């Protein structure tokens, strides 16, 4: 996992046999929530307070929170999916890849009636809620957090290159890249030593070249990559960007080193998430020197990923589980959680005070987009993600011609079925 791993602490967990049995002796009004042990200590504390407050408001109810590291959590969920016992609610990443694994395995309960009962669609950010509709057979899960990704740009470098406004179309972005190149300024900086950083460029180019429907079909592996011309077009465009418009050398540096180069003014843009605002602020830079704009794919979808809470099919109390999730998503609770779990709430009615301009821009972005497309490493199963990384890296390094990239990826996909 890319960014989501930054929010979890890796630590030793109990045996898998014990994991599968946690909470199995629960009483009727007991709930068990399986989630991560978040690296953000404030998130852990906040989640426990939400649970205790819910207990106080619902006498006789007890919520047991079981927290694990990422790998241990995934393993426990796989065990639960294959057994008759498991949690009432579980955390996972949204998307057809990671979250979809457990939906496909029958661990997630469709929540359509609860979306109607609690009117969640009226309360949630459209971009955050969009992931519930990705799965077949109904709505699955509710958002825990949503992370958007877009282009951060250095206003001074744009000005130096003669760029006077944000790109609104992909064609305008390409023209801006040429202006930057002519001024001796690399357009983007990436850290190639972590697979997921440069993957973002490939993801947005697939969305641009293929459009929403074809892009989704490719990531769902329902369309042959080798037979879909837009896939090769995207790899060709990716090779052009990494060759002509990206700060070099980038394959041997990390995402953190790439960030350092960005704030040093060595490149004009980064493709990063909403969390970068706090990172920039912590670095002591002048935030007024930077802007943010969604990558202009011409599809009117926002790039990003979500973390969700799902009601388990193993739950003996799904109505109570939904009631707890409704409490968690409520405007009052989400208002109290601002800055603890995430800088931007998944509840669209939450109010923000003393927002920085970049934070306000992100809020506008989240409220504008009702459709999303996700990171490749969340759309694909793990083994296909690994191959996707390999092909992308080899194209960026010049080891694979763009015309052969889609064929190699499809060969791997076909060989696993």
């Amino acid at each position: 996992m890319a960014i989501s791993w930054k929010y979890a602490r890796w630590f030793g967990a109990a045996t898998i046999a014990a994991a599968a049995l946690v909470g199995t002796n629960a009483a009727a009004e007991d709930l068990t929530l399986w989630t991560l042990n978040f690296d953000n200590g404030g998130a852990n504390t906040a989640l426990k307070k939400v649970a205790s407050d819910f207990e106080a408001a619902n006498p006789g109810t007890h919520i047991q929170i079981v927290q694990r590291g990422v790998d241990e959590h995934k393993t426990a969920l796989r065990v639960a999916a294959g057994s008759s016992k498991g949690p009432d609610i579980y955390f996972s990443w949204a998307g057809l890849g990671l979250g979809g694994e457990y939906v496909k395995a029958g661990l997630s309960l469709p929540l359509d009636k609860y979306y109607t009962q609690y009117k969640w669609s009226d309360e949630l950010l459209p971009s955050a809620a969009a992931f519930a509709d990705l799965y077949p057979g109904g709505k699955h899960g509710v958002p825990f957090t949503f992370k958007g990704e877009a282009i951060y740009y250095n206003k001074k470098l744009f000005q130096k290159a003669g760029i006077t406004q944000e790109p609104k179309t992909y064609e305008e972005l390409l023209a801006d890249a040429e202006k930057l190149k002519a001024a001796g300024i690399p357009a983007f900086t990436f850290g190639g030593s972590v697979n997921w950083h440069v993957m973002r460029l490939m993801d947005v180019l697939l969305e641009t070249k293929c459009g929403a429907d074809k892009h989704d079909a490719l990531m769902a592996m329902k369309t042959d990559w080798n037979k879909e011309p837009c896939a090769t077009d995207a790899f060709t465009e990716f090779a052009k960007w990494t060759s002509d418009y990206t700060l070099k050398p980038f394959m041997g540096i990390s995402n953190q080193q790439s960030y350092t180069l960005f704030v040093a003014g060595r490149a004009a843009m980064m493709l990063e998430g909403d969390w970068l605002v706090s990172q920039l602020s912590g670095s002591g830079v002048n935030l007024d020197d930077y802007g943010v704009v969604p990558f202009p794919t011409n599809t009117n979808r926002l790039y990003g990923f979500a973390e969700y809470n799902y009601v388990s099919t193993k739950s003996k109390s799904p109505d109570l589980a939904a009631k707890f999730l409704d409490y968690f998503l409520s405007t009052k609770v989400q208002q109290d959680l601002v800055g603890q779990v995430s800088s931007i709430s998944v509840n669209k009615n939450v109010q923000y005070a003393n927002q920085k301009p970049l934070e306000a821009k992100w809020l506008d972005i989240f409220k504008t987009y009702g459709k999303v497309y996700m990171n490749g490493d969340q759309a694909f199963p793990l083994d296909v993600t690994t191959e996707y990384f390999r092909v992308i890296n080899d194209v960026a390094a010049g080891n694979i011609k763009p015309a052969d990239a889609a064929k190699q990826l499809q060969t791997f996909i076909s060989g696993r079925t």
Side-chain angles (χ1 to χ4, degrees), residues 203-249:
D203 289 346
V204 297
L205 291 174
L206 278 167
E207 178 79 0
T208 303
K209 289 298 178 180
C210 294
D213 292 341
K214 287 183 180 179
H215 186 191
D216 288 348
L218 287 168
M219 302 312 283
M221 299 178 291
K222 294 180 179 178
T223 293
D224 191 315
W225 284 71
N226 193 39
K227 294 180 180 178
E228 181 49 70
C230 75
T232 296
D233 290 345
F235 277 114
T236 301
E237 204 75 0
F238 174 79
K240 178 180 179 180
W241 278 96
T242 54
S243 173
D244 296 351
Y245 305 127
T246 302
L247 180 64
K248 299 179 187 61

Side-chain angles (χ1 to χ4, degrees), residues 41-55:
N44 295 321
T45 301
L47 187 58
K48 291 173 182 176
K49 184 179 185 304
V50 170
S52 62
D53 288 348
F54 181 80
E55 290 171 347

Side-chain angles (χ1 to χ4, degrees), residues 330-371:
S330 67
T331 302
K332 180 182 183 303
V333 171
Q334 287 292 310
Q335 188 73 61
D336 292 340
L337 291 177
V338 170
Q340 298 182 67
V341 173
S342 183
S343 58
I344 300 292
S345 170
V346 296
N347 184 310
K348 67 182 181 183
N349 299 316
V350 165
Q351 301 297 310
Y352 300 88
N354 303 318
Q355 271 197 310
K356 302 176 179 67
L358 285 179
E359 291 173 333
K361 180 64 180 289
W362 267 115
L363 186 59
D364 288 341
I365 290 171
F366 286 144
K367 288 184 176 180
T368 298
Y369 287 84
K371 297 181 179 179

Side-chain angles (χ1 to χ4, degrees), residues 385-407:
T385 291
T386 302
E387 180 66 5
Y388 185 52
F389 284 159
R390 182 194 69 81
V391 172
I392 289 171
N393 290 342
D394 278 348
V395 171
N399 298 328
I400 296 179
K401 294 181 180 180
D404 296 328
K407 180 180 180 181

Side-chain angles (χ1 to χ4, degrees), residues 13-43:
T15 63
I16 299 306
L21 295 174
V22 172
T24 57
N25 297 319
E29 291 300 310
D30 283 2
L31 287 178
T32 301
L33 167 62
W34 287 5
T35 190
L36 296 183
N37 191 34
F38 297 100
D39 195 40
N40 173 8

Side-chain angles (χ1 to χ4, degrees), residues 32-326:
T32 301
L33 167 62
W34 287 5
T35 190
L36 296 183
N37 191 34
F38 297 100
D39 195 40
N40 173 8
N44 295 321
T45 301
L47 187 58
K48 291 173 182 176
K49 184 179 185 304
V50 170
S52 62
D53 288 348
F54 181 80
E55 290 171 347
N58 296 271
T61 298
H62 174 67
I63 298 176
Q64 181 183 18
I65 301 177
V66 180
Q67 294 179 279
R68 303 182 177 92
V70 173
D71 277 359
E72 292 81 6
H73 179 69
K74 291 179 180 178
T75 302
L77 288 176
R78 292 189 183 106
V79 171
S83 72
S84 61
K85 301 173 183 178
D88 294 284
I89 301 169
Y90 67 90
F91 166 99
S92 186
W93 298 269
L96 297 174
L98 291 173
E101 175 185 348
Y102 310 116
V103 174
K104 187 176 181 180
L107 186 59
S108 173
L109 183 73
L111 302 181
D112 300 71
K113 72 173 185 178
Y114 298 118
Y115 267 86
T116 300
Q117 177 181 345
Y118 292 113
K119 299 180 180 180
W120 285 334
S121 296
D122 295 337
E123 216 167 14
L124 297 172
L125 283 174
S127 50
F131 291 84
D133 295 315
L134 293 176
Y135 312 106
K139 290 179 174 290
H140 286 268
V142 294
F144 178 68
T145 66
F146 176 69
K147 313 293 184 183
E149 293 154 289
I151 296 171
Y152 287 81
Y153 62 92
N154 185 314
K155 294 179 180 178
K156 291 182 179 179
L157 293 183
F158 265 34
Q159 184 178 20
K160 183 177 179 181
I163 302 170
T164 58
Q165 61 183 8
E166 295 177 345
K168 295 181 176 62
T169 66
Y170 180 68
E171 293 71 26
E172 289 179 1
L173 180 63
L174 271 178
D176 290 344
E178 283 291 338
K179 291 178 181 178
L180 289 163
K181 183 179 179 181
I185 304 168
F188 277 100
T189 176
F190 288 100
S193 68
V194 288
N195 294 312
W196 45 265
H197 206 233
V198 73
M199 173 204 70
R200 294 174 183 165
L201 178 61
M202 187 63 208
D203 289 346
V204 297
L205 291 174
L206 278 167
E207 178 79 0
T208 303
K209 289 298 178 180
C210 294
D213 292 341
K214 287 183 180 179
H215 186 191
D216 288 348
L218 287 168
M219 302 312 283
M221 299 178 291
K222 294 180 179 178
T223 293
D224 191 315
W225 284 71
N226 193 39
K227 294 180 180 178
E228 181 49 70
C230 75
T232 296
D233 290 345
F235 277 114
T236 301
E237 204 75 0
F238 174 79
K240 178 180 179 180
W241 278 96
T242 54
S243 173
D244 296 351
Y245 305 127
T246 302
L247 180 64
K248 299 179 187 61
F250 68 91
M251 290 304 291
I253 68 172
S254 70
N255 60 302
Q256 183 57 44
Q257 290 171 310
S258 177
Y259 169 77
T260 301
L261 292 167
F262 177 63
V263 296
R266 295 285 301 279
M269 294 181 282
M270 281 194 82
L271 185 52
E272 275 291 347
D274 56 276
W275 57 85
L276 197 75
V277 178
S278 61
Q279 191 173 350
L280 286 168
S281 182
S283 297
V285 301
N286 184 356
L287 292 182
D288 292 337
D289 290 339
Y290 299 90
V292 62
V293 60
F295 193 100
T297 59
N298 306 340
T299 64
N300 200 33
R301 298 202 302 181
L302 181 63
Y303 184 44
F305 64 92
E307 298 165 327
Y308 264 42
N309 283 316
Y310 299 80
V311 175
S312 168
T313 53
K314 315 301 179 181
S315 175
K316 299 294 192 296
S317 305
D319 289 346
L320 184 62
K323 185 177 181 180
F324 171 74
L325 291 177
D326 181 62

